Amino acid sequence: MSRVLSLRGSGVLPVAGGEVMCEGLRVRVDRAAAFRAVLAGGATEYLKPSSQRQGCVVLNCPALHPKPSTPTPDTLTLGQLRTVLLADHMGELLRRQGFAVSYCPTLPEDSDIITFLRSLGIDWPTAPANWTNKEREEKIQEALENSTYRERETERGRRTSGGGGRKAEEGENEGALRVNLKRVFQEEGLLGYDPSLGTCTVHSDSVSHLAQLDLATADCSVAMATALHVTSCQDEFRQQQIAVLWRATGATHTQRHLVCGPVKTPGSHLTAAQYLQLRRGQMKEASEMKYGDQVEGQTWDDIIRVMTSATVRFELLSTVHTSPVTLDVQREGGVSTKGPRGGVFVMYNCARLHTLFDSYERGVEKGLYPEIPEGSQLDFSALKEEGEWLLLFNYLITFSELLDQSGQAIDCEGGGARVNIKTEQICKFLVSLSKDFSSYYNRVHVLGEPLPHLFNQMFSRLYLLRALRELYHSALDTLNLPPIRQL
């Protein structure tokens, strides 16, 4: 018991006492001391990962590679959009943990796909429209031609001598560059690759893909980077071919595959562009129904854009990445601005916190309330509500651990080509936080009467809610969602 009571550190709650029982130790946490330890210093340490990592991660999104033309919003499927949003989210999480992050492929600036991605808050790397990667493509082509895994004409002839159909196929590809992928992953000791990977004919779009990967890893500050291929389940086999081809060129970077389940839209078929247009229209309609004629001008255009992006991100990222997502895309369904679900609910509750502090500042200007004192001057034992403790214990204290998880999965050795990361947890965390905050906020009157004997409790609550506001900002940043300050 004395050892338990003597524990100290940022991850250890202050202990008021305890007792030894037959089933173990029962410890009483000093809640007031816990509130003071977390809130008095501004809670900054709890809003970042517990440790910083090193390394370079390239997030490769096969859906955005030319095949042979650059994709457009009208050719991008919902499953592919899910992979792009997931790559963007993973990049922010990994960068927060100290990794150097780059994205692949580089896309033409001013292209329709870049405009589309920016409308969702995605800042993807670009190059001038007339830029080419020709030099690297030639280097990759030469490396494959000289690879020990290249299939020579004599080997091909021996393997096809037994069947006329296969001979005809080989005749059509006479002179084509072919690489024996099965030999690559067997001899290189690559685990988790599809055993049906055989001999692959190298096409120009494959060379372009590999040249883009070579470009993305060129600026890595470490010799060994990790390439994380974020792909749909439909494209997984093709991406495994690309990954093994890259190894055949002599690239030794670690490669992992983050595979997303399909996106289903029962009763209809929508492209990514149509889906975003539908959600934007529904969000505008819902806002007009709630706020009336004031929904106009640039401010509201920006609000609707961010709220639409939040809706899309939460719909596609709140599910375990290997599982399918089913969307309701019936045009009469609408997007609700009420109810404890999804991005709209989260953004609304974040806005409530901003409105609360705006009200407090107006009260200060009118002379109703004094300025918030230093945390050391407050008695946090005034925070007696169970809801206040839940907000601290379940969210503020646990957030740094949540940020650590994606980096731990990247660093994990072994386990094969696939990597499973709990990419849904930030969205679920924010929805759960919003439910508990909404319940507390609806029950407790934070800005009370301007009476001196009530100020300590009011300021203690404002310290807690200010930390929650920063928590919202920190979590939304990983989704590239700016907070809405008023609704």
Side-chain angles (χ1 to χ4, degrees), residues 151-443:
E151 190 172 84
R152 310 296 171 181
E153 293 295 328
T154 54
E155 298 174 33
R156 194 182 312 171
R158 284 199 302 270
R159 284 188 20 215
T160 59
S161 59
R166 188 66 183 270
K167 283 182 180 178
E169 179 187 337
E170 293 297 332
E172 294 173 5
N173 291 317
E174 194 68 39
L177 173 60
R178 295 171 65 83
V179 175
N180 191 321
L181 302 183
K182 192 165 189 176
R183 274 188 57 209
V184 178
F185 73 74
Q186 285 179 339
E187 296 181 17
E188 299 280 339
L190 305 179
L191 301 176
Y193 282 85
D194 194 316
S196 65
L197 287 174
T199 300
C200 171
T201 301
V202 180
H203 297 289
S204 59
D205 59 338
S206 300
V207 173
S208 170
H209 194 136
L210 296 179
Q212 286 272 12
L213 284 168
D214 187 64
L215 173 66
T217 55
D219 294 331
C220 286
S221 57
V222 294
M224 286 284 289
T226 296
L228 186 62
H229 306 292
V230 188
T231 186
S232 65
C233 55
Q234 295 93 333
D235 295 334
E236 181 184 11
F237 183 82
R238 173 60 179 155
Q239 192 54 38
Q240 286 201 8
Q241 289 181 317
I242 293 290
V244 179
L245 267 180
W246 197 24
R247 189 63 174 243
T249 68
T252 56
H253 301 295
T254 301
Q255 298 186 71
R256 309 298 295 274
H257 299 254
L258 189 68
V259 181
C260 294
V263 177
K264 302 177 181 179
T265 54
S268 61
H269 176 75
L270 295 180
T271 65
Q274 292 169 331
Y275 168 59
L276 185 63
Q277 183 180 11
L278 172 66
R279 288 293 184 252
R280 186 185 293 116
Q282 290 172 330
M283 183 57 62
K284 189 172 191 302
E285 182 180 345
S287 299
E288 288 172 341
M289 289 181 64
K290 184 172 183 178
Y291 299 103
D293 294 340
Q294 63 177 297
V295 182
E296 59 181 19
Q298 188 60 49
T299 298
W300 269 102
D301 287 347
D302 292 340
I303 289 174
I304 290 171
R305 176 181 54 78
V306 173
M307 296 291 272
T308 302
S309 179
T311 298
V312 168
R313 285 177 182 269
F314 275 78
E315 284 186 335
L316 294 179
L317 297 180
S318 295
T319 304
V320 176
H321 68 83
T322 53
S323 299
V325 171
T326 301
L327 299 177
D328 178 5
V329 292
Q330 299 305 312
R331 298 186 184 278
E332 65 273 11
V335 176
S336 175
T337 58
K338 298 180 180 180
R341 58 175 186 162
V344 174
F345 182 66
V346 169
M347 302 302 283
Y348 170 70
N349 278 283
C350 182
R352 293 173 86 181
L353 281 167
H354 284 278
T355 300
L356 168 70
F357 280 92
D358 287 344
S359 298
Y360 166 71
E361 292 297 336
R362 287 196 297 272
V364 172
E365 292 171 2
K366 293 177 181 177
L368 296 176
Y369 306 124
E371 295 284 351
I372 298 180
E374 293 292 325
S376 58
Q377 300 176 31
L378 296 177
D379 177 8
F380 286 100
S381 64
L383 298 176
K384 300 181 184 298
E385 282 273 341
E386 190 65 20
E388 291 160 347
W389 176 249
L390 290 177
L391 290 172
L392 181 89
F393 187 75
N394 288 346
Y395 301 103
L396 280 166
I397 289 177
T398 62
F399 184 62
S400 63
E401 182 181 344
L402 193 64
L403 292 177
D404 287 335
Q405 292 180 358
S406 54
Q408 291 167 352
I410 291 291
D411 284 346
C412 181
E413 295 293 334
R418 274 196 179 199
V419 59
N420 290 320
I421 302 175
K422 296 178 179 178
T423 55
E424 76 285 355
Q425 287 202 330
I426 292 290
C427 288
K428 288 186 173 181
F429 175 89
L430 280 166
V431 170
S432 180
L433 166 63
S434 298
K435 289 178 182 178
D436 285 343
F437 164 67
S438 180
S439 174
Y440 169 75
Y441 192 74
N442 290 337
R443 188 175 66 253

